[in-house]
Amino acid sequence: MSGGREHLGINLAVFAAAGQLGAALSPLYAVGLIRVIGVPMLPCALVFVIAVILIARNMLPARFVDEDRRVKSSKSGGESTPLMLRRVMWICLPITLIAMVRDATSQAIRVFLPLLVTGRGGSIEAGGTMLFAFTVMGTISNLIGGKLADMFGKKTIIFIMLALSPMFIFPAINARGWLSFVLFSLGGACIAATSPVTIAMAQERVPESRSMASSLVMGVSWGIANIAASPIGKVADHIGLELTLSFVALAPLAVAAAMIPGGIAEWKLRKTLIK
């Protein structure tokens, strides 16, 4: 893994990809454990988890930990926790909103994609396979998105990936067979590619509160996205699953369009400063 703050995008991409890969493999891992040791012995698997945590803790680079403490002590000063939380939330609000729409789109597809497949006469295995491919492609794209963000800029990659995702997901909803399989996978990859980029942007905006910034664009946005799955399902009951997913697929495009005025303003400011 690349070191230093200049490679924050790819470093966080590896982190996000590992988590997403773990989520994709967790059902297979759980089935394997049950078959090997049985349900009564499942708590014993925690021994392995604890061992991995302890090993990872001792391998963490101490120099980054010391640097984080120095940055926090120099910038936070005597700021109270409520005041710091409010400040971080306000600074990271635009990034958090982007993450919320992205995660809501991704979670809606994860929840309703198997239903879409089975509702068209497909098997449960086919729905599970398509969902697995959707998740794995997202894992790979995390690494690609992080690297591209370091090369071309974080805002640029977020805009491009969010604008591209509906171009794959929207036709995938109406496609059949392998074409739908490929299009859904590519659309999921575009959405997931922005995950490490938003985390990196949030951490860069408040380097003295990186943990809090990360919790906003990872935990808060993901939690709200899961809550949104219920009303999305209610809408699907009234207007149909395909039409509902079509609206969901267009949500990232709306976010990309909202980023255009800010991008134009930033470009004009840079042009003025250069002059």
Side-chain angles (χ1 to χ4, degrees):
M1 184 184 299
S2 303
R5 305 300 181 207
E6 68 275 11
H7 299 295
L8 185 59
I10 187 61
N11 290 343
L12 289 173
V14 173
F15 169 78
Q20 195 159 1
L21 181 61
L25 296 178
S26 59
L28 302 178
Y29 177 67
V31 172
L33 279 178
I34 292 174
R35 289 181 176 177
V36 173
I37 64 177
V39 175
M41 297 296 292
L42 279 180
C44 296
L46 292 176
V47 176
F48 174 73
V49 175
I50 295 173
V52 170
I53 293 174
L54 294 176
I55 294 173
R57 175 64 182 86
N58 292 327
M59 293 175 63
L60 286 175
R63 62 189 180 92
F64 288 160
V65 176
D66 294 338
E67 181 182 343
D68 289 346
R69 290 173 179 172
R70 287 196 300 269
V71 171
K72 186 173 182 179
S73 61
S74 63
K75 293 192 175 183
S76 60
E79 190 177 28
S80 64
T81 300
L83 183 60
M84 180 178 65
L85 177 60
R86 185 170 59 184
R87 179 176 59 84
V88 173
M89 289 179 64
W90 178 253
I91 294 174
C92 296
L93 180 60
I95 306 173
T96 305
L97 292 176
I98 292 174
M100 285 170 52
V101 175
R102 177 201 65 212
D103 291 345
T105 302
S106 180
Q107 288 299 104
I109 294 174
R110 290 173 187 272
V111 171
F112 299 112
L113 182 56
L115 297 178
L116 181 67
V117 174
T118 55
R120 292 173 173 174
S123 63
I124 297 178
E125 289 78 8
T129 301
M130 187 173 291
L131 185 59
F132 178 77
F134 183 86
T135 306
V136 171
M137 283 294 292
T139 302
I140 298 172
S141 68
N142 271 322
L143 299 174
I144 299 174
K147 185 62 177 179
L148 292 176
D150 288 336
M151 296 171 59
F152 303 107
K154 299 175 180 61
K155 290 183 180 179
T156 301
I157 296 305
I158 290 177
F159 175 80
I160 292 175
M161 292 302 172
L162 291 180
L164 281 177
S165 65
M167 299 181 185
F168 294 112
I169 298 176
F170 191 77
I173 297 170
N174 301 298
R176 297 292 190 276
W178 280 101
L179 179 58
S180 179
F181 182 89
V182 172
L183 290 174
F184 266 122
S185 299
L186 292 175
C190 290
I191 294 174
T194 66
S195 180
V197 187
T198 52
I199 301 172
M201 287 183 64
Q203 291 191 6
E204 287 177 345
R205 288 196 173 192
V206 281
E208 73 281 6
S209 303
R210 279 195 293 268
S211 297
M212 191 178 297
S214 299
S215 68
L216 289 173
V217 297
M218 291 176 63
V220 174
S221 63
W222 186 81
I224 294 177
N226 279 276
I227 295 175
S230 180
I232 291 175
K234 190 68 175 179
V235 172
D237 289 339
H238 289 281
I239 66 174
L241 187 55
E242 291 186 6
L243 184 57
T244 301
L245 285 179
S246 297
F247 285 120
V248 169
L250 294 176
L253 187 60
V255 174
M259 294 176 65
I260 294 177
I264 295 176
E266 184 176 348
W267 176 78
K268 289 182 178 179
L269 178 61
R270 290 182 179 179
K271 190 176 180 180
T272 303
L273 292 175
I274 292 175
K275 290 181 178 179

PDB file of all heavy atoms in Angstrom, residues 234-268:
ATOM      1  N   LYS A 234     -42.098   0.546  -0.361  1.00  0.00           N
ATOM      2  CA  LYS A 234     -43.504   0.929  -0.342  1.00  0.00           C
ATOM      3  C   LYS A 234     -43.912   1.540  -1.679  1.00  0.00           C
ATOM      4  O   LYS A 234     -45.004   1.257  -2.204  1.00  0.00           O
ATOM      5  CB  LYS A 234     -43.733   1.946   0.790  1.00  0.00           C
ATOM      6  CG  LYS A 234     -45.192   2.241   1.073  1.00  0.00           C
ATOM      7  CD  LYS A 234     -45.885   1.029   1.676  1.00  0.00           C
ATOM      8  CE  LYS A 234     -47.324   1.370   2.076  1.00  0.00           C
ATOM      9  NZ  LYS A 234     -48.033   0.200   2.644  1.00  0.00           N
ATOM     10  N   VAL A 235     -43.036   2.375  -2.231  1.00  0.00           N
ATOM     11  CA  VAL A 235     -43.299   2.971  -3.540  1.00  0.00           C
ATOM     12  C   VAL A 235     -43.374   1.887  -4.611  1.00  0.00           C
ATOM     13  O   VAL A 235     -44.232   1.931  -5.509  1.00  0.00           O
ATOM     14  CB  VAL A 235     -42.210   4.007  -3.890  1.00  0.00           C
ATOM     15  CG1 VAL A 235     -42.359   4.484  -5.326  1.00  0.00           C
ATOM     16  CG2 VAL A 235     -42.266   5.180  -2.934  1.00  0.00           C
ATOM     17  N   ALA A 236     -42.488   0.889  -4.509  1.00  0.00           N
ATOM     18  CA  ALA A 236     -42.474  -0.199  -5.489  1.00  0.00           C
ATOM     19  C   ALA A 236     -43.774  -0.992  -5.474  1.00  0.00           C
ATOM     20  O   ALA A 236     -44.211  -1.494  -6.514  1.00  0.00           O
ATOM     21  CB  ALA A 236     -41.286  -1.118  -5.219  1.00  0.00           C
ATOM     22  N   ASP A 237     -44.391  -1.107  -4.298  1.00  0.00           N
ATOM     23  CA  ASP A 237     -45.672  -1.813  -4.207  1.00  0.00           C
ATOM     24  C   ASP A 237     -46.773  -1.095  -4.981  1.00  0.00           C
ATOM     25  O   ASP A 237     -47.741  -1.730  -5.426  1.00  0.00           O
ATOM     26  CB  ASP A 237     -46.089  -1.955  -2.738  1.00  0.00           C
ATOM     27  CG  ASP A 237     -45.220  -2.947  -1.985  1.00  0.00           C
ATOM     28  OD1 ASP A 237     -44.592  -3.800  -2.646  1.00  0.00           O
ATOM     29  OD2 ASP A 237     -45.147  -2.843  -0.740  1.00  0.00           O
ATOM     30  N   HIS A 238     -46.654   0.211  -5.132  1.00  0.00           N
ATOM     31  CA  HIS A 238     -47.705   1.002  -5.781  1.00  0.00           C
ATOM     32  C   HIS A 238     -47.457   1.201  -7.271  1.00  0.00           C
ATOM     33  O   HIS A 238     -48.402   1.140  -8.067  1.00  0.00           O
ATOM     34  CB  HIS A 238     -47.831   2.363  -5.095  1.00  0.00           C
ATOM     35  CG  HIS A 238     -48.432   2.303  -3.732  1.00  0.00           C
ATOM     36  ND1 HIS A 238     -49.781   2.179  -3.492  1.00  0.00           N
ATOM     37  CD2 HIS A 238     -47.854   2.332  -2.502  1.00  0.00           C
ATOM     38  CE1 HIS A 238     -50.029   2.141  -2.206  1.00  0.00           C
ATOM     39  NE2 HIS A 238     -48.872   2.236  -1.571  1.00  0.00           N
ATOM     40  N   ILE A 239     -46.198   1.443  -7.653  1.00  0.00           N
ATOM     41  CA  ILE A 239     -45.933   1.772  -9.064  1.00  0.00           C
ATOM     42  C   ILE A 239     -45.150   0.678  -9.788  1.00  0.00           C
ATOM     43  O   ILE A 239     -44.920   0.785 -10.990  1.00  0.00           O
ATOM     44  CB  ILE A 239     -45.181   3.110  -9.179  1.00  0.00           C
ATOM     45  CG1 ILE A 239     -43.770   3.002  -8.583  1.00  0.00           C
ATOM     46  CG2 ILE A 239     -45.952   4.221  -8.482  1.00  0.00           C
ATOM     47  CD1 ILE A 239     -42.940   4.256  -8.797  1.00  0.00           C
ATOM     48  N   GLY A 240     -44.731  -0.334  -9.065  1.00  0.00           N
ATOM     49  CA  GLY A 240     -44.009  -1.426  -9.706  1.00  0.00           C
ATOM     50  C   GLY A 240     -42.507  -1.348  -9.427  1.00  0.00           C
ATOM     51  O   GLY A 240     -41.938  -0.259  -9.271  1.00  0.00           O
ATOM     52  N   LEU A 241     -41.881  -2.507  -9.387  1.00  0.00           N
ATOM     53  CA  LEU A 241     -40.463  -2.579  -9.032  1.00  0.00           C
ATOM     54  C   LEU A 241     -39.572  -1.995 -10.118  1.00  0.00           C
ATOM     55  O   LEU A 241     -38.611  -1.278  -9.819  1.00  0.00           O
ATOM     56  CB  LEU A 241     -40.075  -4.047  -8.767  1.00  0.00           C
ATOM     57  CG  LEU A 241     -38.677  -4.298  -8.218  1.00  0.00           C
ATOM     58  CD1 LEU A 241     -38.442  -3.497  -6.945  1.00  0.00           C
ATOM     59  CD2 LEU A 241     -38.465  -5.784  -7.967  1.00  0.00           C
ATOM     60  N   GLU A 242     -39.865  -2.266 -11.372  1.00  0.00           N
ATOM     61  CA  GLU A 242     -39.020  -1.777 -12.463  1.00  0.00           C
ATOM     62  C   GLU A 242     -39.022  -0.253 -12.538  1.00  0.00           C
ATOM     63  O   GLU A 242     -37.963   0.370 -12.693  1.00  0.00           O
ATOM     64  CB  GLU A 242     -39.487  -2.380 -13.791  1.00  0.00           C
ATOM     65  CG  GLU A 242     -39.239  -3.874 -13.904  1.00  0.00           C
ATOM     66  CD  GLU A 242     -39.587  -4.387 -15.288  1.00  0.00           C
ATOM     67  OE1 GLU A 242     -39.902  -3.559 -16.170  1.00  0.00           O
ATOM     68  OE2 GLU A 242     -39.520  -5.619 -15.491  1.00  0.00           O
ATOM     69  N   LEU A 243     -40.192   0.359 -12.419  1.00  0.00           N
ATOM     70  CA  LEU A 243     -40.278   1.815 -12.481  1.00  0.00           C
ATOM     71  C   LEU A 243     -39.586   2.451 -11.275  1.00  0.00           C
ATOM     72  O   LEU A 243     -38.899   3.478 -11.401  1.00  0.00           O
ATOM     73  CB  LEU A 243     -41.745   2.254 -12.548  1.00  0.00           C
ATOM     74  CG  LEU A 243     -42.002   3.757 -12.713  1.00  0.00           C
ATOM     75  CD1 LEU A 243     -41.314   4.289 -13.955  1.00  0.00           C
ATOM     76  CD2 LEU A 243     -43.501   4.043 -12.751  1.00  0.00           C
ATOM     77  N   THR A 244     -39.748   1.843 -10.115  1.00  0.00           N
ATOM     78  CA  THR A 244     -39.100   2.369  -8.906  1.00  0.00           C
ATOM     79  C   THR A 244     -37.584   2.318  -9.029  1.00  0.00           C
ATOM     80  O   THR A 244     -36.885   3.290  -8.712  1.00  0.00           O
ATOM     81  CB  THR A 244     -39.546   1.566  -7.669  1.00  0.00           C
ATOM     82  OG1 THR A 244     -40.964   1.643  -7.536  1.00  0.00           O
ATOM     83  CG2 THR A 244     -38.895   2.110  -6.409  1.00  0.00           C
ATOM     84  N   LEU A 245     -37.056   1.199  -9.499  1.00  0.00           N
ATOM     85  CA  LEU A 245     -35.606   1.082  -9.677  1.00  0.00           C
ATOM     86  C   LEU A 245     -35.095   2.044 -10.746  1.00  0.00           C
ATOM     87  O   LEU A 245     -33.941   2.489 -10.690  1.00  0.00           O
ATOM     88  CB  LEU A 245     -35.239  -0.359 -10.041  1.00  0.00           C
ATOM     89  CG  LEU A 245     -35.295  -1.375  -8.901  1.00  0.00           C
ATOM     90  CD1 LEU A 245     -34.943  -2.766  -9.410  1.00  0.00           C
ATOM     91  CD2 LEU A 245     -34.360  -0.976  -7.771  1.00  0.00           C
ATOM     92  N   SER A 246     -35.945   2.364 -11.705  1.00  0.00           N
ATOM     93  CA  SER A 246     -35.544   3.343 -12.724  1.00  0.00           C
ATOM     94  C   SER A 246     -35.331   4.713 -12.102  1.00  0.00           C
ATOM     95  O   SER A 246     -34.358   5.414 -12.414  1.00  0.00           O
ATOM     96  CB  SER A 246     -36.612   3.420 -13.822  1.00  0.00           C
ATOM     97  OG  SER A 246     -36.744   2.179 -14.498  1.00  0.00           O
ATOM     98  N   PHE A 247     -36.231   5.103 -11.203  1.00  0.00           N
ATOM     99  CA  PHE A 247     -36.054   6.379 -10.493  1.00  0.00           C
ATOM    100  C   PHE A 247     -34.824   6.326  -9.591  1.00  0.00           C
ATOM    101  O   PHE A 247     -34.077   7.317  -9.479  1.00  0.00           O
ATOM    102  CB  PHE A 247     -37.299   6.705  -9.668  1.00  0.00           C
ATOM    103  CG  PHE A 247     -38.462   7.181 -10.493  1.00  0.00           C
ATOM    104  CD1 PHE A 247     -39.661   6.486 -10.502  1.00  0.00           C
ATOM    105  CD2 PHE A 247     -38.362   8.337 -11.262  1.00  0.00           C
ATOM    106  CE1 PHE A 247     -40.734   6.918 -11.252  1.00  0.00           C
ATOM    107  CE2 PHE A 247     -39.434   8.784 -12.027  1.00  0.00           C
ATOM    108  CZ  PHE A 247     -40.623   8.073 -12.022  1.00  0.00           C
ATOM    109  N   VAL A 248     -34.622   5.193  -8.927  1.00  0.00           N
ATOM    110  CA  VAL A 248     -33.451   5.035  -8.057  1.00  0.00           C
ATOM    111  C   VAL A 248     -32.166   5.148  -8.869  1.00  0.00           C
ATOM    112  O   VAL A 248     -31.193   5.775  -8.433  1.00  0.00           O
ATOM    113  CB  VAL A 248     -33.510   3.669  -7.332  1.00  0.00           C
ATOM    114  CG1 VAL A 248     -32.180   3.369  -6.640  1.00  0.00           C
ATOM    115  CG2 VAL A 248     -34.641   3.656  -6.309  1.00  0.00           C
ATOM    116  N   ALA A 249     -32.165   4.573 -10.063  1.00  0.00           N
ATOM    117  CA  ALA A 249     -30.967   4.601 -10.905  1.00  0.00           C
ATOM    118  C   ALA A 249     -30.608   6.014 -11.342  1.00  0.00           C
ATOM    119  O   ALA A 249     -29.434   6.317 -11.576  1.00  0.00           O
ATOM    120  CB  ALA A 249     -31.183   3.720 -12.136  1.00  0.00           C
ATOM    121  N   LEU A 250     -31.618   6.887 -11.449  1.00  0.00           N
ATOM    122  CA  LEU A 250     -31.371   8.262 -11.891  1.00  0.00           C
ATOM    123  C   LEU A 250     -30.916   9.175 -10.755  1.00  0.00           C
ATOM    124  O   LEU A 250     -30.471  10.296 -11.013  1.00  0.00           O
ATOM    125  CB  LEU A 250     -32.638   8.835 -12.520  1.00  0.00           C
ATOM    126  CG  LEU A 250     -33.084   8.174 -13.835  1.00  0.00           C
ATOM    127  CD1 LEU A 250     -34.415   8.771 -14.297  1.00  0.00           C
ATOM    128  CD2 LEU A 250     -32.023   8.350 -14.912  1.00  0.00           C
ATOM    129  N   ALA A 251     -31.002   8.720  -9.515  1.00  0.00           N
ATOM    130  CA  ALA A 251     -30.630   9.565  -8.370  1.00  0.00           C
ATOM    131  C   ALA A 251     -29.173  10.024  -8.427  1.00  0.00           C
ATOM    132  O   ALA A 251     -28.896  11.206  -8.183  1.00  0.00           O
ATOM    133  CB  ALA A 251     -30.915   8.826  -7.062  1.00  0.00           C
ATOM    134  N   PRO A 252     -28.194   9.145  -8.740  1.00  0.00           N
ATOM    135  CA  PRO A 252     -26.803   9.630  -8.828  1.00  0.00           C
ATOM    136  C   PRO A 252     -26.612  10.693  -9.909  1.00  0.00           C
ATOM    137  O   PRO A 252     -25.763  11.578  -9.764  1.00  0.00           O
ATOM    138  CB  PRO A 252     -26.009   8.362  -9.167  1.00  0.00           C
ATOM    139  CG  PRO A 252     -26.842   7.241  -8.654  1.00  0.00           C
ATOM    140  CD  PRO A 252     -28.259   7.682  -8.882  1.00  0.00           C
ATOM    141  N   LEU A 253     -27.400  10.611 -10.980  1.00  0.00           N
ATOM    142  CA  LEU A 253     -27.296  11.612 -12.034  1.00  0.00           C
ATOM    143  C   LEU A 253     -27.731  12.983 -11.523  1.00  0.00           C
ATOM    144  O   LEU A 253     -27.148  14.014 -11.901  1.00  0.00           O
ATOM    145  CB  LEU A 253     -28.154  11.200 -13.230  1.00  0.00           C
ATOM    146  CG  LEU A 253     -28.023  12.060 -14.493  1.00  0.00           C
ATOM    147  CD1 LEU A 253     -26.594  12.039 -15.012  1.00  0.00           C
ATOM    148  CD2 LEU A 253     -28.987  11.558 -15.571  1.00  0.00           C
ATOM    149  N   ALA A 254     -28.741  13.010 -10.652  1.00  0.00           N
ATOM    150  CA  ALA A 254     -29.179  14.275 -10.066  1.00  0.00           C
ATOM    151  C   ALA A 254     -28.076  14.881  -9.193  1.00  0.00           C
ATOM    152  O   ALA A 254     -27.865  16.102  -9.189  1.00  0.00           O
ATOM    153  CB  ALA A 254     -30.448  14.048  -9.233  1.00  0.00           C
ATOM    154  N   VAL A 255     -27.359  14.025  -8.466  1.00  0.00           N
ATOM    155  CA  VAL A 255     -26.249  14.509  -7.640  1.00  0.00           C
ATOM    156  C   VAL A 255     -25.135  15.060  -8.523  1.00  0.00           C
ATOM    157  O   VAL A 255     -24.553  16.121  -8.238  1.00  0.00           O
ATOM    158  CB  VAL A 255     -25.710  13.379  -6.741  1.00  0.00           C
ATOM    159  CG1 VAL A 255     -24.475  13.840  -5.987  1.00  0.00           C
ATOM    160  CG2 VAL A 255     -26.783  12.933  -5.763  1.00  0.00           C
ATOM    161  N   ALA A 256     -24.823  14.342  -9.610  1.00  0.00           N
ATOM    162  CA  ALA A 256     -23.783  14.812 -10.531  1.00  0.00           C
ATOM    163  C   ALA A 256     -24.160  16.168 -11.123  1.00  0.00           C
ATOM    164  O   ALA A 256     -23.313  17.058 -11.265  1.00  0.00           O
ATOM    165  CB  ALA A 256     -23.568  13.783 -11.638  1.00  0.00           C
ATOM    166  N   ALA A 257     -25.446  16.329 -11.476  1.00  0.00           N
ATOM    167  CA  ALA A 257     -25.899  17.612 -12.026  1.00  0.00           C
ATOM    168  C   ALA A 257     -25.774  18.727 -10.994  1.00  0.00           C
ATOM    169  O   ALA A 257     -25.431  19.870 -11.330  1.00  0.00           O
ATOM    170  CB  ALA A 257     -27.351  17.490 -12.489  1.00  0.00           C
ATOM    171  N   ALA A 258     -26.030  18.400  -9.722  1.00  0.00           N
ATOM    172  CA  ALA A 258     -25.918  19.405  -8.663  1.00  0.00           C
ATOM    173  C   ALA A 258     -24.474  19.833  -8.432  1.00  0.00           C
ATOM    174  O   ALA A 258     -24.227  20.922  -7.889  1.00  0.00           O
ATOM    175  CB  ALA A 258     -26.517  18.864  -7.368  1.00  0.00           C
ATOM    176  N   MET A 259     -23.519  18.995  -8.820  1.00  0.00           N
ATOM    177  CA  MET A 259     -22.108  19.332  -8.648  1.00  0.00           C
ATOM    178  C   MET A 259     -21.596  20.293  -9.717  1.00  0.00           C
ATOM    179  O   MET A 259     -20.537  20.906  -9.546  1.00  0.00           O
ATOM    180  CB  MET A 259     -21.254  18.049  -8.673  1.00  0.00           C
ATOM    181  CG  MET A 259     -21.492  17.114  -7.504  1.00  0.00           C
ATOM    182  SD  MET A 259     -20.538  15.579  -7.678  1.00  0.00           S
ATOM    183  CE  MET A 259     -18.846  16.215  -7.576  1.00  0.00           C
ATOM    184  N   ILE A 260     -22.321  20.434 -10.805  1.00  0.00           N
ATOM    185  CA  ILE A 260     -21.844  21.261 -11.928  1.00  0.00           C
ATOM    186  C   ILE A 260     -21.665  22.730 -11.553  1.00  0.00           C
ATOM    187  O   ILE A 260     -20.618  23.319 -11.846  1.00  0.00           O
ATOM    188  CB  ILE A 260     -22.792  21.105 -13.134  1.00  0.00           C
ATOM    189  CG1 ILE A 260     -22.718  19.668 -13.675  1.00  0.00           C
ATOM    190  CG2 ILE A 260     -22.425  22.104 -14.226  1.00  0.00           C
ATOM    191  CD1 ILE A 260     -23.671  19.395 -14.820  1.00  0.00           C
ATOM    192  N   PRO A 261     -22.667  23.387 -10.897  1.00  0.00           N
ATOM    193  CA  PRO A 261     -22.460  24.808 -10.554  1.00  0.00           C
ATOM    194  C   PRO A 261     -21.229  25.037  -9.685  1.00  0.00           C
ATOM    195  O   PRO A 261     -20.486  25.993  -9.893  1.00  0.00           O
ATOM    196  CB  PRO A 261     -23.755  25.175  -9.811  1.00  0.00           C
ATOM    197  CG  PRO A 261     -24.770  24.217 -10.326  1.00  0.00           C
ATOM    198  CD  PRO A 261     -24.018  22.937 -10.545  1.00  0.00           C
ATOM    199  N   GLY A 262     -21.017  24.154  -8.706  1.00  0.00           N
ATOM    200  CA  GLY A 262     -19.852  24.292  -7.847  1.00  0.00           C
ATOM    201  C   GLY A 262     -18.559  24.117  -8.621  1.00  0.00           C
ATOM    202  O   GLY A 262     -17.572  24.821  -8.380  1.00  0.00           O
ATOM    203  N   GLY A 263     -18.555  23.179  -9.567  1.00  0.00           N
ATOM    204  CA  GLY A 263     -17.369  22.957 -10.386  1.00  0.00           C
ATOM    205  C   GLY A 263     -17.063  24.152 -11.275  1.00  0.00           C
ATOM    206  O   GLY A 263     -15.900  24.533 -11.448  1.00  0.00           O
ATOM    207  N   ILE A 264     -18.108  24.753 -11.837  1.00  0.00           N
ATOM    208  CA  ILE A 264     -17.915  25.938 -12.680  1.00  0.00           C
ATOM    209  C   ILE A 264     -17.385  27.106 -11.851  1.00  0.00           C
ATOM    210  O   ILE A 264     -16.469  27.830 -12.280  1.00  0.00           O
ATOM    211  CB  ILE A 264     -19.236  26.317 -13.365  1.00  0.00           C
ATOM    212  CG1 ILE A 264     -19.675  25.208 -14.338  1.00  0.00           C
ATOM    213  CG2 ILE A 264     -19.099  27.650 -14.096  1.00  0.00           C
ATOM    214  CD1 ILE A 264     -21.020  25.453 -14.983  1.00  0.00           C
ATOM    215  N   ALA A 265     -17.952  27.290 -10.662  1.00  0.00           N
ATOM    216  CA  ALA A 265     -17.497  28.379  -9.792  1.00  0.00           C
ATOM    217  C   ALA A 265     -16.038  28.190  -9.392  1.00  0.00           C
ATOM    218  O   ALA A 265     -15.264  29.150  -9.366  1.00  0.00           O
ATOM    219  CB  ALA A 265     -18.385  28.455  -8.552  1.00  0.00           C
ATOM    220  N   GLU A 266     -15.663  26.962  -9.088  1.00  0.00           N
ATOM    221  CA  GLU A 266     -14.272  26.679  -8.717  1.00  0.00           C
ATOM    222  C   GLU A 266     -13.332  26.930  -9.897  1.00  0.00           C
ATOM    223  O   GLU A 266     -12.233  27.464  -9.731  1.00  0.00           O
ATOM    224  CB  GLU A 266     -14.151  25.236  -8.245  1.00  0.00           C
ATOM    225  CG  GLU A 266     -12.765  24.878  -7.739  1.00  0.00           C
ATOM    226  CD  GLU A 266     -12.702  23.462  -7.189  1.00  0.00           C
ATOM    227  OE1 GLU A 266     -13.777  22.844  -7.000  1.00  0.00           O
ATOM    228  OE2 GLU A 266     -11.591  22.967  -6.942  1.00  0.00           O
ATOM    229  N   TRP A 267     -13.762  26.558 -11.093  1.00  0.00           N
ATOM    230  CA  TRP A 267     -12.937  26.777 -12.285  1.00  0.00           C
ATOM    231  C   TRP A 267     -12.737  28.265 -12.544  1.00  0.00           C
ATOM    232  O   TRP A 267     -11.641  28.710 -12.864  1.00  0.00           O
ATOM    233  CB  TRP A 267     -13.600  26.112 -13.485  1.00  0.00           C
ATOM    234  CG  TRP A 267     -12.882  26.372 -14.780  1.00  0.00           C
ATOM    235  CD1 TRP A 267     -11.747  25.782 -15.234  1.00  0.00           C
ATOM    236  CD2 TRP A 267     -13.260  27.330 -15.780  1.00  0.00           C
ATOM    237  NE1 TRP A 267     -11.397  26.286 -16.456  1.00  0.00           N
ATOM    238  CE2 TRP A 267     -12.297  27.244 -16.818  1.00  0.00           C
ATOM    239  CE3 TRP A 267     -14.312  28.229 -15.910  1.00  0.00           C
ATOM    240  CZ2 TRP A 267     -12.371  28.036 -17.959  1.00  0.00           C
ATOM    241  CZ3 TRP A 267     -14.392  29.013 -17.032  1.00  0.00           C
ATOM    242  CH2 TRP A 267     -13.421  28.919 -18.052  1.00  0.00           C
ATOM    243  N   LYS A 268     -13.796  29.061 -12.393  1.00  0.00           N
ATOM    244  CA  LYS A 268     -13.694  30.496 -12.588  1.00  0.00           C
ATOM    245  C   LYS A 268     -12.775  31.130 -11.541  1.00  0.00           C
ATOM    246  O   LYS A 268     -12.003  32.044 -11.840  1.00  0.00           O
ATOM    247  CB  LYS A 268     -15.076  31.139 -12.521  1.00  0.00           C
ATOM    248  CG  LYS A 268     -15.967  30.824 -13.713  1.00  0.00           C
ATOM    249  CD  LYS A 268     -17.298  31.535 -13.599  1.00  0.00           C
ATOM    250  CE  LYS A 268     -18.169  31.264 -14.830  1.00  0.00           C
ATOM    251  NZ  LYS A 268     -19.502  31.944 -14.717  1.00  0.00           N
TER     252      LYS A 268
END
